[in-house]
Amino acid sequence: METLTGKSRIIALVDMDCFYVQVEERDDPSIKGTPAAVVQYKAYKGGAIIAVNYEARAKGVSRNIRGDEAKALCPELTLVRVPETRGKADLQKYRDAGREVIQVLTDFSDCVERASIDEAYIDLTTAVEERLNHFLSAQGDPTASCEQSNILKALDKEAFTTNFVMGFESTTSWMDMMTDNEMMMPLDDVKLAIGAEIVGKMREAVFQETGFRCSAGIAHNKVLAKLCAGINKPNKQTVLPHSSVAQLWAETKIKKVRNLGGKLGDFLVDTLKCELMSDLLKYSEKELLNHLGSKAGSWIYHLARGYDTEAVNPRQLPKSIGCNKNFLGPEVLVTKDKVKHWLQQLAAEVSERIQKDFEMNNRRARTLTLHVSFEDKNSLSRSCRLHPQFNSERIRSEVWVMMEKLYKSLGVLPVNMLGLVASKFEDEAGVSGYSKISNFFENCPRSESSASTTLINSNKIPSSSTTFVTSTAGTSKTLGSSTIANKNNIVVESRASTTKMLPSCSSSNDSLDAVQPEKTDPPFELISTAIANETSPHKNPKSTRSLGPGVESSPKLHLTQECERCGKQIAIWEYVTHMDFHVARDLSREINGLSPLGFDVRPETLEDKERQKDKINRDKIALQSPAKRGSKRPRGRGGGGTKRGRPGTTTGSPSKPPVKSIDAYFIKKIN
Ligand code: DCP
């Protein structure tokens, strides 16, 4: 049962407090303790506020207002402007600061998943088990029945000074309750307490190493940990015992829950008339399966009871490196020259960052993707493979080749967003024949030409108020679909729609284009077939029209997309029809009693699935090449580096510091 529910895990989500402001405060300690905010593009009405410290929040300053208004509200407010490079916001120092934090976190667990520029999930299950064993063996007989109250008493109380427990007046009352009812004491709660102790140590270590304060949530799964982290801020942590899930769900809006911010959340609210998470309890498992299909239905059923089995995916490095720029209103790019100018700026930034990434992490990006949004709200992306050896000049010319191809096909349409993303990283070890960094930016043969173009559904185009290119994870893609709904209407379940709203390097001058924290992939995003059809110019005359003359009919235009279900290259106007084939096949499988997604909800299968996931994660850690595992920059404590050293430029492959025991953080030992 535990494996099925994920309740045996101890997961923490660490979220930095007013992160960009803290980074600025570290650079200029004179503003510490005074109201301060970070703004992007100060020119228009004092700039867009993207981070506000808690002193300024107390005076009413928020992200919803612009710099001038904030100053009027709070005259003593310091507005710090995000640095700009090549006419665009330069977020590098915040990325670097985020990386410093991640490195501290990896001292506590090998299983750290960087979720955004300032957030990470940490699976503490192993660390907690080890600490539990440490306590048990210190009691003399490791096989003796667990004297849990002794363990609670032995925890370092200093680690709990900023600890809160949902459903309890204080940490002490929670622990007292457990000690007084030892017979009834759930071992899971004892583990949560140990997890909270570790997180207390971890947050202190983050402060000592980086100077930054953070908040955290500690629970049995990622969804709950994330919600808890936001309950008490700043510089606090919140534990959620399973017995308090009902209380949390009674006050949590469905759309606020991780993975429910999108169409699945809309469906629960609009169709199933559930506003709060607790409202979901009125539906039986069978009803949810009927409404949502087996996968989403089962997930929601368990989540409504506080269970979720999504594993922390150990990943400390970004999956892609990219930047974009919006051109809104009068800034829309109408000439080729202007587009070329900005593409060169983006290419320069991306090549600089992938070079730095190579130096630090010993990996190379193999794919370069150009994203273009046109004023008419259509959006296209085009990718090419990056040759292992390339230089910034080569990237610039490849990008322009891709853009020229689009111009050739579509004509010169006004552009309001350009984005460039390098992705599909390979470890240096996996790239044969190029071991010297000096080769990396030398002149080299032309990279292979454009491989694919994707028409992006206009409802996934970043809006004028958001940026979408990631520095921490993947970009837009849809992995397969299948019919999941019942008789009345057919909806398409996107199996892993990975459009993300992520930290980006840039935004347009006066729009509130701010850097968004990562939105994790919803596991079940519902997309109506009507919306899906909009991606097909063939089926949607409006799209065809706005794509420009000749797109639909021109046989010369080789706009293709790789089918995520079968891997075939499909012309984009055939893509929906092609997906219909998969959907129809899934439907027929479903009718015949077979799972459309190859996903069976029988408990034993779920267990298998989770076991498999855990195994994959363990294998990933074990199999990570020494180069990748060694990507951590050596630091002060035992690392041989400087205490707060910024990521430096190293040549060659950095070596992995020995895995450190977290015992170093525990001064008090059990007697
Ligand atoms: N950010 C941004 N634009 C946004 C939201 C955030 O540029 N619309 C940047 C600035 C933030 C950082 O990302 O400092 C992290 O965002 P959070 O949402 O975690 O907010 P903060 O860390 O600023 O504050 P909090 O203490 O509420 O987490």
Side-chain angles (χ1 to χ4, degrees):
M1 182 62 182
E2 279 199 343
T3 318
L4 171 65
T5 60
K7 211 174 148 216
S8 54
R9 291 188 183 133
I10 305 295
I11 309 289
L13 183 276
V14 166
D15 178 22
M16 306 310 294
D17 300 322
C18 55
F19 189 45
Y20 288 15
V21 184
Q22 282 206 78
V23 174
E24 296 300 340
E25 287 173 347
R26 190 174 75 174
D27 282 356
D28 176 6
S30 74
I31 58 174
K32 215 174 161 78
T34 68
V38 172
V39 284
Q40 228 170 290
Y41 301 112
K42 223 171 177 175
Y44 178 70
K45 291 189 178 174
I49 293 183
I50 57 172
V52 184
N53 71 2
Y54 284 78
E55 290 82 352
R57 290 183 202 193
K59 308 265 176 169
V61 178
S62 75
R63 272 191 203 135
N64 302 326
I65 57 178
R66 295 196 77 88
D68 288 350
E69 200 183 330
K71 268 287 206 191
L73 262 176
C74 175
E76 68 274 34
L77 178 75
T78 305
L79 287 174
V80 187
R81 187 175 175 172
V82 173
E84 284 172 34
T85 308
R86 302 182 195 94
K88 299 162 44 273
D90 179 356
L91 304 178
Q92 196 56 44
K93 71 164 148 177
Y94 310 116
R95 288 189 198 103
D96 290 345
R99 193 159 35 227
E100 287 178 53
V101 173
I102 294 288
Q103 288 180 357
V104 180
L105 302 183
T106 55
D107 277 348
F108 290 81
S109 169
D110 262 342
C111 193
V112 174
E113 177 181 331
R114 190 175 184 176
S116 78
I117 201 161
D118 78 331
E119 274 183 1
Y121 291 98
I122 306 120
D123 189 332
L124 291 171
T125 313
T126 307
V128 167
E129 297 285 352
E130 279 169 8
R131 192 122 180 86
L132 191 61
N133 287 337
H134 164 81
F135 285 126
L136 294 177
S137 54
Q139 285 181 32
D141 178 5
T143 59
S145 66
C146 174
E147 291 202 40
Q148 299 179 17
S149 55
N150 280 350
I151 293 173
L152 292 178
K153 279 180 202 146
L155 297 178
D156 184 351
K157 297 295 171 295
E158 270 176 34
F160 289 88
T161 49
T162 54
N163 191 76
F164 291 75
V165 184
M166 180 109 196
F168 291 83
E169 251 172 39
S170 64
T171 305
T172 316
S173 64
W174 178 50
M175 296 220 184
D176 285 350
M177 188 279 292
M178 286 197 269
T179 312
D180 293 347
N181 302 290
E182 190 161 344
M183 295 303 288
M184 306 291 289
M185 191 188 301
L187 182 60
D188 286 333
D189 277 22
V190 177
K191 288 184 180 174
L192 280 175
I194 297 173
E197 183 200 37
I198 295 172
V199 171
K201 299 277 179 190
M202 188 159 67
R203 290 175 45 238
E204 185 55 26
V206 168
F207 179 65
Q208 293 303 329
E209 296 275 326
T210 68
F212 300 138
R213 290 291 189 194
C214 59
S215 299
I218 303 116
H220 291 301
N221 60 56
K222 289 166 89 171
V223 176
L224 297 175
K226 164 97 178 153
L227 280 167
C228 286
I231 293 175
N232 294 292
K233 267 187 148 259
N235 192 26
K236 295 177 188 69
Q237 61 184 52
T238 306
V239 179
L240 183 77
H242 186 73
S243 56
S244 299
V245 168
Q247 181 185 334
L248 177 68
W249 278 167
E251 51 199 54
T252 303
K253 290 203 163 165
I254 284 181
K255 300 278 292 175
K256 295 275 171 216
V257 174
R258 182 171 188 270
N259 291 330
L260 291 180
K263 295 200 168 59
L264 178 55
D266 287 341
F267 185 81
L268 298 175
V269 174
D270 300 337
T271 308
L272 299 192
K273 306 286 175 223
C274 295
E275 203 56 46
L276 299 168
M277 285 300 289
S278 51
D279 295 338
L280 292 167
L281 291 171
K282 66 187 175 198
Y283 288 101
S284 68
E285 183 168 18
K286 198 173 164 209
E287 286 168 326
L288 289 172
L289 296 179
N290 277 344
H291 280 295
L292 303 168
S294 57
K295 193 174 175 186
S298 172
W299 181 62
I300 291 291
Y301 175 81
H302 286 103
L303 190 63
R305 285 147 187 82
Y307 301 130
D308 179 42
T309 56
E310 185 191 331
V312 175
N313 175 28
R315 172 168 66 77
Q316 288 113 50
L317 295 176
K319 270 189 189 165
S320 62
I321 289 177
C323 58
N324 73 321
K325 182 155 176 77
N326 293 334
F327 307 94
L328 304 176
E331 292 174 347
V332 167
L333 304 179
V334 285
T335 65
K336 274 175 128 181
D337 279 353
K338 285 197 170 160
V339 168
K340 189 168 190 177
H341 166 80
W342 282 110
L343 281 180
Q344 288 187 347
Q345 306 307 310
L346 296 175
E349 175 171 339
V350 167
S351 63
E352 204 174 90
R353 283 172 55 201
I354 55 180
Q355 181 187 17
K356 189 174 171 191
D357 182 79
F358 173 76
E359 290 166 0
M360 293 183 68
N361 303 317
N362 213 30
R363 61 184 191 153
R364 299 178 193 281
R366 294 307 314 274
T367 301
L368 185 67
T369 305
L370 167 68
H371 296 278
V372 186
S373 289
F374 299 99
E375 204 184 15
D376 63 11
K377 297 280 179 277
N378 271 302
S379 186
L380 281 167
S381 63
R382 196 166 178 89
S383 299
C384 68
R385 265 175 82 72
L386 275 175
H387 193 280
Q389 287 181 304
F390 58 86
N391 55 26
S392 57
E393 193 47 52
R394 176 67 57 204
I395 289 184
R396 278 208 285 268
S397 83
E398 282 305 326
V399 170
W400 188 240
V401 167
M402 289 193 276
M403 191 68 214
E404 287 270 46
K405 282 183 181 168
L406 288 181
Y407 275 141
K408 216 171 161 187
S409 310
L410 307 173
V412 182
L413 298 172
V415 165
N416 66 6
M417 193 281 296
L418 291 171
L420 207 55
V421 181
S423 60
K424 305 227 167 96
F425 286 91
E426 281 179 6
D427 281 351
E428 172 64 356
V431 182
S432 58
Y434 303 99
S435 55
K436 279 178 65 191
I437 184 167
S438 53
N439 290 338
F440 189 57
F441 274 62
E442 277 169 7
N443 283 336
C444 58
R446 281 188 73 81
S447 59
E448 297 139 56
S449 62
S450 302
S452 66
T453 297
T454 310
L455 175 68
I456 300 174
N457 186 340
S458 59
N459 73 344
K460 292 196 174 176
I461 296 172
S463 73
S464 60
S465 64
T466 52
T467 54
F468 82 106
V469 180
T470 172
S471 72
T472 61
T475 54
S476 309
K477 78 178 174 181
T478 301
L479 300 178
S481 61
S482 98
T483 304
I484 62 161
N486 53 20
K487 336 157 191 125
N488 299 331
N489 56 346
I490 291 177
V491 286
V492 174
E493 178 188 12
S494 155
R495 295 180 64 188
S497 173
T498 57
T499 300
K500 301 197 173 200
M501 311 300 286
L502 289 157
S504 156
C505 71
S506 172
S507 60
S508 84
N509 288 7
D510 55 352
S511 63
L512 190 64
D513 290 11
V515 178
Q516 300 289 334
E518 178 178 20
K519 264 193 198 160
T520 318
D521 313 335
F524 319 102
E525 188 180 350
L526 302 183
I527 305 171
S528 77
T529 44
I531 292 172
N533 282 345
E534 279 175 24
T535 60
S536 163
H538 183 68
K539 293 199 170 180
N540 185 340
K542 208 168 148 210
S543 293
T544 311
R545 191 171 58 245
S546 54
L547 268 176
V551 170
E552 192 187 0
S553 55
S554 170
K556 281 178 257 157
L557 187 62
H558 296 298
L559 300 180
T560 63
Q561 180 173 355
E562 185 180 300
C563 173
E564 301 284 359
R565 301 291 299 274
C566 63
K568 284 187 190 151
Q569 287 294 327
I570 309 293
I572 54 171
W573 48 88
E574 301 289 351
Y575 195 76
V576 171
T577 314
H578 178 79
M579 292 313 290
D580 284 348
F581 153 74
H582 286 294
V583 169
R585 202 175 55 174
D586 287 343
L587 186 60
S588 126
R589 282 173 63 78
E590 208 163 40
I591 288 164
N592 291 317
L594 299 165
S595 162
L597 301 177
F599 181 90
D600 198 321
V601 290
R602 282 176 303 130
E604 57 270 35
T605 315
L606 273 178
E607 275 182 40
D608 289 343
K609 204 173 164 61
E610 182 174 301
R611 221 176 289 128
Q612 265 173 21
K613 250 189 182 174
D614 282 344
K615 184 175 179 313
I616 289 166
N617 282 342
R618 276 198 309 276
D619 290 350
K620 261 190 208 160
I621 294 168
L623 289 174
Q624 266 176 355
S625 72
K628 194 159 181 186
R629 285 175 62 91
S631 64
K632 290 172 30 166
R633 181 174 42 84
R635 278 200 330 272
R637 291 176 299 99
T642 56
K643 195 174 180 187
R644 269 194 210 172
R646 308 283 159 88
T649 47
T650 54
T651 50
S653 163
S655 59
K656 163 100 176 155
V659 176
K660 180 172 164 181
S661 160
I662 66 166
D663 285 349
Y665 293 97
F666 294 89
I667 300 150
K668 290 184 184 175
K669 305 277 178 205
I670 195 166
N671 294 321

